[in-house]
Amino acid sequence: MKILAIESSCDETAAAVVEDGTTVLSSIIHSQIAEHKQFGGVVPEIASRRHCENILDVVKRALAEGDCSLEKIDAIAVTYAPGLIGALLVGVNFAKGLSLASGLPLIPVHHIAGHIAANYIAHPTLEPPYLCLVASGGHSHIVEVLSYTKFKVIGRTRDDAAGECFDKVARVLGFPYPGGMHIDNASKIGYNLSYNLPSPKVTGSEFDFSFSGLKTAVINIVHNSEQKGIEIDKNGLAASFQKTVCDILVSKTISAANMLGYSKIALAGGVSANSGLRQAMEDACKSENKELYIPPVSLCGDNAAMIGCQGYYDFLAGKSATSDLNAIATLSLENM
Ligand code: KG4
Ligand code: ZN
Protein backbone atom coordinates (compact mmCIF):
# COMPACT_ATOMS: atom_id res chain seq x y z
CA MET A 1 0.00 0.00 0.00
CA LYS A 2 1.48 3.36 -1.07
CA ILE A 3 0.69 6.43 1.04
CA LEU A 4 1.36 10.03 0.04
CA ALA A 5 2.03 11.85 3.33
CA ILE A 6 1.95 15.58 4.02
CA GLU A 7 3.37 17.43 7.06
CA SER A 8 3.11 21.18 7.73
CA SER A 9 2.67 21.53 11.51
CA CYS A 10 5.51 23.99 12.10
CA ASP A 11 8.25 25.36 9.86
CA GLU A 12 8.91 22.41 7.55
CA THR A 13 6.78 21.80 4.46
CA ALA A 14 7.22 18.08 3.86
CA ALA A 15 5.82 15.32 1.66
CA ALA A 16 6.76 11.67 1.27
CA VAL A 17 5.70 8.47 -0.41
CA VAL A 18 5.82 5.49 1.95
CA GLU A 19 5.06 1.88 1.01
CA ASP A 20 3.54 -0.51 3.56
CA GLY A 21 4.43 1.73 6.48
CA THR A 22 8.19 1.29 6.51
CA THR A 23 9.62 1.59 2.99
CA VAL A 24 10.31 5.25 2.25
CA LEU A 25 10.20 5.77 -1.53
CA SER A 26 10.74 9.53 -1.25
CA SER A 27 10.93 12.19 1.46
CA ILE A 28 11.08 15.89 0.61
CA ILE A 29 11.54 18.53 3.31
CA HIS A 30 11.44 22.23 2.56
CA SER A 31 12.77 23.98 5.67
CA GLN A 32 11.95 27.61 6.46
CA ILE A 33 14.59 27.89 9.20
CA ALA A 34 16.75 30.40 7.31
CA GLU A 35 13.84 32.85 7.23
CA HIS A 36 12.65 32.39 10.83
CA LYS A 37 16.22 32.56 12.15
CA GLN A 38 16.34 36.35 11.84
CA PHE A 39 13.40 36.60 14.28
CA GLY A 40 14.90 34.15 16.81
CA GLY A 41 12.00 31.70 16.44
CA VAL A 42 9.15 30.59 14.20
CA VAL A 43 6.81 33.41 13.12
CA PRO A 44 3.45 31.61 12.68
CA GLU A 45 2.05 33.80 9.91
CA ILE A 46 5.23 33.59 7.85
CA ALA A 47 5.21 29.80 8.33
CA SER A 48 1.63 29.53 6.98
CA ARG A 49 2.38 31.72 3.99
CA ARG A 50 5.50 29.74 3.05
CA HIS A 51 3.58 26.45 3.35
CA CYS A 52 1.00 27.90 0.92
CA GLU A 53 3.68 28.84 -1.55
CA ASN A 54 5.67 25.61 -1.35
CA ILE A 55 3.29 22.74 -0.71
CA LEU A 56 2.36 21.99 -4.33
CA ASP A 57 6.00 21.83 -5.43
CA VAL A 58 7.00 19.70 -2.42
CA VAL A 59 4.20 17.19 -3.10
CA LYS A 60 5.03 17.06 -6.83
CA ARG A 61 8.70 16.40 -5.99
CA ALA A 62 7.78 13.65 -3.51
CA LEU A 63 5.66 11.92 -6.17
CA ALA A 64 8.37 12.31 -8.83
CA GLU A 65 11.20 11.06 -6.59
CA GLY A 66 9.02 8.18 -5.43
CA ASP A 67 8.54 7.35 -9.12
CA CYS A 68 4.79 7.64 -8.60
CA SER A 69 1.88 9.35 -10.21
CA LEU A 70 -1.22 9.97 -8.09
CA GLU A 71 -2.81 6.92 -9.79
CA LYS A 72 -0.30 4.66 -8.04
CA ILE A 73 -1.12 6.10 -4.59
CA ASP A 74 -3.61 4.27 -2.34
CA ALA A 75 -4.24 6.88 0.37
CA ILE A 76 -3.28 10.38 1.52
CA ALA A 77 -2.07 10.92 5.11
CA VAL A 78 -1.82 14.37 6.65
CA THR A 79 -0.76 15.84 10.00
CA TYR A 80 -3.90 17.43 11.48
CA ALA A 81 -2.74 18.00 15.10
CA PRO A 82 -1.02 19.34 17.15
CA GLY A 83 0.92 22.34 15.84
CA LEU A 84 0.61 25.93 14.65
CA ILE A 85 -2.98 26.20 13.53
CA GLY A 86 -2.37 28.29 10.40
CA ALA A 87 0.45 25.99 9.36
CA LEU A 88 -1.57 22.81 9.93
CA LEU A 89 -4.52 24.22 7.97
CA VAL A 90 -2.42 24.51 4.81
CA GLY A 91 -1.50 20.81 4.83
CA VAL A 92 -4.97 19.68 5.90
CA ASN A 93 -6.76 21.67 3.20
CA PHE A 94 -4.30 20.66 0.51
CA ALA A 95 -4.76 16.99 1.46
CA LYS A 96 -8.55 17.36 1.54
CA GLY A 97 -8.57 18.91 -1.93
CA LEU A 98 -6.34 16.17 -3.30
CA SER A 99 -8.45 13.46 -1.67
CA LEU A 100 -11.67 14.96 -3.05
CA ALA A 101 -10.26 15.32 -6.57
CA SER A 102 -8.67 11.86 -6.66
CA GLY A 103 -11.17 9.87 -4.61
CA LEU A 104 -8.34 8.58 -2.43
CA PRO A 105 -8.99 7.94 1.28
CA LEU A 106 -7.76 10.62 3.69
CA ILE A 107 -5.96 9.62 6.90
CA PRO A 108 -5.57 12.20 9.71
CA VAL A 109 -2.30 11.69 11.61
CA HIS A 110 -1.25 12.98 15.03
CA HIS A 111 2.17 14.65 14.78
CA ILE A 112 3.60 13.06 17.96
CA ALA A 113 2.40 9.61 16.91
CA GLY A 114 4.30 10.30 13.69
CA HIS A 115 7.50 11.09 15.60
CA ILE A 116 7.15 7.80 17.49
CA ALA A 117 6.50 5.92 14.22
CA ALA A 118 9.84 7.13 12.80
CA ASN A 119 11.24 4.25 14.83
CA TYR A 120 9.36 1.65 12.73
CA ILE A 121 11.03 2.98 9.58
CA ALA A 122 14.48 2.69 11.14
CA HIS A 123 13.77 -0.54 13.08
CA PRO A 124 11.15 -2.66 11.26
CA THR A 125 11.49 -5.35 13.97
CA LEU A 126 10.27 -2.97 16.69
CA GLU A 127 6.74 -3.80 17.82
CA PRO A 128 4.60 -2.35 20.62
CA PRO A 129 4.35 -2.48 23.57
CA TYR A 130 7.34 -0.34 24.58
CA LEU A 131 8.08 2.91 26.35
CA CYS A 132 8.95 6.01 24.34
CA LEU A 133 10.57 9.26 25.39
CA VAL A 134 9.29 12.00 23.07
CA ALA A 135 11.35 15.19 23.25
CA SER A 136 10.67 17.87 20.67
CA GLY A 137 10.36 21.63 20.38
CA GLY A 138 6.78 21.56 21.63
CA HIS A 139 6.52 18.38 23.74
CA SER A 140 8.31 16.33 26.37
CA HIS A 141 6.42 13.12 27.07
CA ILE A 142 7.03 9.68 28.46
CA VAL A 143 4.59 7.51 26.53
CA GLU A 144 3.44 3.94 26.91
CA VAL A 145 3.08 2.76 23.30
CA LEU A 146 0.40 0.12 23.91
CA SER A 147 -0.16 -0.64 20.23
CA TYR A 148 0.61 1.13 16.92
CA THR A 149 -2.39 3.38 17.51
CA LYS A 150 -2.97 3.40 21.30
CA PHE A 151 -0.89 5.54 23.63
CA LYS A 152 -0.83 6.39 27.33
CA VAL A 153 1.07 9.52 28.38
CA ILE A 154 2.52 8.88 31.84
CA GLY A 155 4.82 11.91 32.06
CA ARG A 156 4.74 15.38 30.55
CA THR A 157 6.41 18.73 31.04
CA ARG A 158 4.79 21.15 33.46
CA ASP A 159 6.33 24.15 31.66
CA ASP A 160 8.88 24.32 28.83
CA ALA A 161 9.40 21.41 26.45
CA ALA A 162 12.97 20.07 26.31
CA GLY A 163 13.58 21.48 22.81
CA GLU A 164 12.10 24.83 23.78
CA CYS A 165 14.49 24.93 26.74
CA PHE A 166 17.47 24.07 24.47
CA ASP A 167 16.42 26.89 22.11
CA LYS A 168 15.97 29.50 24.87
CA VAL A 169 19.28 28.65 26.55
CA ALA A 170 20.99 28.72 23.15
CA ARG A 171 19.56 32.17 22.53
CA VAL A 172 20.94 33.60 25.78
CA LEU A 173 24.31 32.04 24.95
CA GLY A 174 24.24 33.83 21.58
CA PHE A 175 23.56 30.88 19.27
CA PRO A 176 21.15 31.20 16.32
CA TYR A 177 17.69 29.58 16.20
CA PRO A 178 17.06 26.67 16.46
CA GLY A 179 19.71 26.36 19.12
CA GLY A 180 19.55 22.66 20.10
CA MET A 181 22.12 21.59 17.53
CA HIS A 182 24.48 24.46 18.51
CA ILE A 183 24.30 23.51 22.21
CA ASP A 184 25.04 19.93 21.14
CA ASN A 185 28.13 21.05 19.19
CA ALA A 186 29.37 23.37 21.98
CA SER A 187 28.93 20.51 24.46
CA LYS A 188 31.46 18.46 22.52
CA ILE A 189 34.10 21.11 23.35
CA GLY A 190 33.02 22.20 26.85
CA TYR A 191 33.47 20.42 30.20
CA ASN A 192 30.06 19.24 31.42
CA LEU A 193 30.77 19.82 35.11
CA SER A 194 31.92 23.44 34.64
CA TYR A 195 28.71 24.79 36.18
CA ASN A 196 26.59 23.37 38.95
CA LEU A 197 23.00 23.59 37.68
CA PRO A 198 19.79 22.62 39.48
CA SER A 199 17.67 19.60 38.56
CA PRO A 200 14.19 20.96 39.23
CA LYS A 201 12.02 18.75 41.44
CA VAL A 202 8.45 18.03 40.38
CA THR A 203 5.93 17.07 43.01
CA GLY A 204 2.79 15.10 42.29
CA SER A 205 3.62 12.94 39.31
CA GLU A 206 7.09 11.40 39.44
CA PHE A 207 7.43 11.12 35.66
CA ASP A 208 6.56 14.75 34.89
CA PHE A 209 9.30 17.17 33.85
CA SER A 210 10.01 20.81 34.60
CA PHE A 211 12.68 22.66 32.66
CA SER A 212 11.91 26.32 33.29
CA GLY A 213 13.89 26.50 36.58
CA LEU A 214 16.95 25.10 34.83
CA LYS A 215 16.54 27.59 31.99
CA THR A 216 16.25 30.47 34.48
CA ALA A 217 19.38 29.27 36.29
CA VAL A 218 21.38 29.45 33.04
CA ILE A 219 19.93 32.88 32.18
CA ASN A 220 20.87 34.15 35.67
CA ILE A 221 24.46 32.89 35.32
CA VAL A 222 24.81 34.71 31.98
CA HIS A 223 23.26 37.97 33.23
CA ASN A 224 25.21 37.99 36.53
CA SER A 225 28.45 37.41 34.64
CA GLU A 226 27.62 40.23 32.22
CA GLN A 227 26.90 42.62 35.13
CA LYS A 228 30.17 41.73 36.84
CA GLY A 229 32.12 41.88 33.59
CA ILE A 230 33.15 38.24 33.95
CA GLU A 231 33.43 36.22 30.77
CA ILE A 232 31.39 33.02 30.86
CA ASP A 233 32.73 29.68 29.68
CA LYS A 234 30.13 29.36 26.90
CA ASN A 235 31.03 25.81 25.90
CA GLY A 236 31.25 24.69 29.53
CA LEU A 237 27.85 26.19 30.33
CA ALA A 238 26.31 24.61 27.22
CA ALA A 239 27.81 21.23 28.17
CA SER A 240 26.68 21.50 31.81
CA PHE A 241 23.16 22.44 30.68
CA GLN A 242 22.97 19.60 28.17
CA LYS A 243 24.19 17.06 30.73
CA THR A 244 21.58 18.23 33.24
CA VAL A 245 18.71 17.97 30.72
CA CYS A 246 19.87 14.56 29.48
CA ASP A 247 20.29 13.22 33.04
CA ILE A 248 16.69 14.26 33.84
CA LEU A 249 15.24 12.79 30.62
CA VAL A 250 17.16 9.53 30.92
CA SER A 251 16.66 8.91 34.65
CA LYS A 252 12.87 9.50 34.50
CA THR A 253 12.49 7.29 31.42
CA ILE A 254 14.53 4.45 32.92
CA SER A 255 12.71 4.55 36.25
CA ALA A 256 9.33 4.59 34.43
CA ALA A 257 10.43 1.57 32.37
CA ASN A 258 11.54 -0.28 35.50
CA MET A 259 8.41 0.56 37.43
CA LEU A 260 6.07 -0.47 34.57
CA GLY A 261 8.12 -3.46 33.45
CA TYR A 262 9.17 -2.32 29.96
CA SER A 263 12.29 -3.91 28.46
CA LYS A 264 12.15 -1.88 25.23
CA ILE A 265 12.69 1.89 25.12
CA ALA A 266 12.50 4.21 22.10
CA LEU A 267 13.40 7.87 21.55
CA ALA A 268 11.48 10.27 19.32
CA GLY A 269 11.30 13.97 18.37
CA GLY A 270 13.81 16.61 17.36
CA VAL A 271 15.78 16.50 20.63
CA SER A 272 16.48 12.78 20.12
CA ALA A 273 19.04 13.99 17.54
CA ASN A 274 21.10 15.21 20.53
CA SER A 275 24.36 13.27 20.74
CA GLY A 276 24.55 13.57 24.54
CA LEU A 277 21.00 12.22 24.95
CA ARG A 278 21.62 9.35 22.54
CA GLN A 279 24.84 8.38 24.36
CA ALA A 280 23.39 8.76 27.87
CA MET A 281 20.33 6.69 26.95
CA GLU A 282 22.54 4.04 25.32
CA ASP A 283 24.72 3.80 28.45
CA ALA A 284 21.71 3.63 30.78
CA CYS A 285 19.95 0.99 28.66
CA LYS A 286 23.11 -1.11 28.57
CA SER A 287 23.49 -1.07 32.35
CA GLU A 288 19.75 -1.63 32.92
CA ASN A 289 19.55 -4.40 30.32
CA LYS A 290 17.00 -2.64 28.09
CA GLU A 291 16.73 -2.71 24.30
CA LEU A 292 17.05 0.82 22.88
CA TYR A 293 15.59 2.07 19.59
CA ILE A 294 16.60 5.49 18.23
CA PRO A 295 15.70 6.90 14.79
CA PRO A 296 18.58 8.12 12.60
CA VAL A 297 19.12 11.89 12.95
CA SER A 298 17.47 12.39 9.53
CA LEU A 299 14.17 11.04 10.94
CA CYS A 300 14.30 12.83 14.33
CA GLY A 301 13.17 16.27 13.13
CA ASP A 302 9.91 17.01 11.33
CA ASN A 303 9.42 15.02 8.12
CA ALA A 304 6.55 13.45 6.21
CA ALA A 305 7.95 9.90 6.04
CA MET A 306 7.06 9.40 9.71
CA ILE A 307 3.51 10.65 8.95
CA GLY A 308 3.24 8.13 6.09
CA CYS A 309 4.36 5.37 8.46
CA GLN A 310 1.90 6.25 11.23
CA GLY A 311 -0.80 6.86 8.60
CA TYR A 312 -0.39 3.25 7.43
CA TYR A 313 -1.00 1.88 10.93
CA ASP A 314 -3.89 4.30 11.50
CA PHE A 315 -5.46 3.18 8.20
CA LEU A 316 -5.09 -0.51 9.14
CA ALA A 317 -6.85 0.36 12.42
CA GLY A 318 -9.77 1.81 10.41
CA LYS A 319 -9.02 5.49 10.83
CA SER A 320 -10.01 7.84 8.00
CA ALA A 321 -11.46 11.32 7.61
CA THR A 322 -14.05 13.00 5.42
CA SER A 323 -14.06 16.49 3.93
CA ASP A 324 -15.03 18.03 7.29
CA LEU A 325 -11.56 17.23 8.73
CA ASN A 326 -10.21 20.24 10.63
CA ALA A 327 -6.79 21.11 12.02
CA ILE A 328 -6.40 21.10 15.83
CA ALA A 329 -3.67 23.13 17.56
CA THR A 330 -3.65 21.14 20.81
CA LEU A 331 -4.68 17.50 21.01
CA SER A 332 -3.52 14.79 23.40
CA LEU A 333 -1.94 11.68 21.92
CA GLU A 334 -4.50 9.71 23.91
CA ASN A 335 -7.42 11.33 22.05
CA MET A 336 -6.09 11.20 18.49
O1 KG4 B 1 10.46 17.51 16.55
P1 KG4 B 1 10.95 18.83 16.07
O2 KG4 B 1 11.68 18.87 14.76
O3 KG4 B 1 9.77 19.84 15.97
C1 KG4 B 1 8.71 19.83 16.86
O4 KG4 B 1 7.77 19.00 16.66
O5 KG4 B 1 8.78 20.62 17.83
O6 KG4 B 1 11.88 19.41 17.22
C2 KG4 B 1 12.56 20.62 17.09
C3 KG4 B 1 13.41 20.82 18.32
C4 KG4 B 1 14.03 22.21 18.40
O7 KG4 B 1 13.78 22.73 19.68
C5 KG4 B 1 15.50 21.94 18.18
O8 KG4 B 1 16.37 22.86 18.82
C6 KG4 B 1 15.65 20.55 18.77
O9 KG4 B 1 14.49 19.88 18.35
N1 KG4 B 1 16.87 19.88 18.31
C7 KG4 B 1 17.88 19.54 19.14
C8 KG4 B 1 18.89 18.98 18.32
N2 KG4 B 1 18.46 19.00 17.03
C9 KG4 B 1 17.20 19.56 17.05
N3 KG4 B 1 18.00 19.68 20.47
C10 KG4 B 1 19.15 19.24 21.02
N4 KG4 B 1 20.17 18.71 20.30
C11 KG4 B 1 20.08 18.56 18.97
N5 KG4 B 1 21.09 18.02 18.27
ZN1 ZN C 1 7.85 17.60 15.46
Side-chain angles (χ1 to χ4, degrees):
M1 175 183 190
K2 284 189 180 127
I3 290 182
L4 170 66
I6 296 170
E7 153 67 39
S8 70
S9 66
C10 191
D11 58 348
E12 263 95 28
T13 319
V17 178
V18 181
E19 186 161 21
D20 298 334
T22 52
T23 305
V24 179
L25 302 181
S26 66
S27 179
I28 306 294
I29 303 172
H30 179 278
S31 173
Q32 307 173 1
I33 282 176
E35 192 168 3
H36 295 290
K37 205 177 234 174
Q38 57 188 310
F39 303 103
V42 177
V43 181
E45 182 172 336
I46 294 178
S48 311
R49 287 174 184 274
R50 296 300 167 260
H51 287 313
C52 274
E53 289 163 9
N54 295 313
I55 194 159
L56 179 59
D57 181 55
V58 167
V59 168
K60 275 185 177 168
R61 282 169 57 204
L63 287 170
E65 284 195 21
D67 206 13
C68 273
S69 59
L70 209 51
E71 290 75 50
K72 290 190 189 156
I73 296 291
D74 300 295
I76 299 164
V78 65
T79 305
Y80 77 111
L84 299 172
I85 194 69
L88 284 167
L89 279 167
V90 177
V92 165
N93 278 300
F94 187 92
K96 273 167 49 168
L98 206 54
S99 162
L100 216 58
S102 63
L104 291 171
L106 180 64
I107 313 165
V109 177
H110 192 287
H111 183 76
I112 302 300
H115 272 301
I116 296 171
N119 281 289
Y120 304 129
I121 298 173
H123 311 287
T125 56
L126 173 64
E127 283 176 17
Y130 58 92
L131 196 70
C132 187
L133 169 69
V134 182
S136 71
H139 297 84
S140 301
H141 284 349
I142 298 176
V143 180
E144 282 188 77
V145 183
L146 304 169
S147 75
Y148 290 101
T149 54
K150 287 257 172 305
F151 307 91
K152 187 172 175 198
V153 180
I154 57 161
R156 48 176 66 70
T157 181
R158 299 274 179 93
D159 38 60
D160 292 359
E164 190 182 353
C165 192
F166 264 99
D167 294 340
K168 287 176 178 168
V169 162
R171 189 175 182 162
V172 79
L173 291 179
F175 294 114
Y177 174 85
M181 194 185 66
H182 299 284
I183 297 266
D184 197 348
N185 291 336
S187 296
K188 290 175 186 153
I189 307 164
Y191 177 50
N192 63 20
L193 296 175
S194 305
Y195 291 84
N196 189 17
L197 296 171
S199 283
K201 298 273 171 291
V202 184
T203 51
S205 170
E206 61 184 309
F207 303 130
D208 279 359
F209 303 106
S210 168
F211 293 113
S212 73
L214 172 62
K215 172 193 70 186
T216 306
V218 175
I219 291 172
N220 286 343
I221 289 171
V222 173
H223 289 169
N224 287 341
S225 303
E226 276 169 7
Q227 279 163 5
K228 292 176 185 159
I230 303 166
E231 203 181 320
I232 55 157
D233 169 10
K234 193 166 151 174
N235 296 327
L237 187 50
S240 305
F241 163 76
Q242 179 170 296
K243 180 182 169 15
T244 308
V245 175
C246 294
D247 285 351
I248 295 167
L249 292 171
V250 170
S251 68
K252 294 220 177 201
T253 307
I254 295 287
S255 57
N258 284 337
M259 183 168 286
L260 298 165
Y262 284 98
S263 59
K264 292 186 279 184
I265 293 179
L267 293 188
V271 180
S272 53
N274 185 269
S275 61
L277 179 61
R278 294 166 87 93
Q279 189 61 54
M281 197 58 108
E282 216 166 90
D283 295 344
C285 284
K286 203 173 269 175
S287 73
E288 296 286 328
N289 216 9
K290 311 267 184 220
E291 281 172 48
L292 177 64
Y293 298 86
I294 313 181
V297 170
S298 59
L299 284 171
C300 289
D302 290 347
N303 64 86
M306 67 186 196
I307 301 303
C309 177
Q310 182 59 32
Y312 173 73
Y313 292 110
D314 286 341
F315 189 73
L316 293 186
K319 203 171 167 195
S320 68
T322 52
S323 57
D324 62 356
L325 177 69
N326 207 343
I328 308 174
T330 309
L331 179 70
S332 163
L333 198 49
E334 293 172 1
N335 303 324
M336 64 172 225

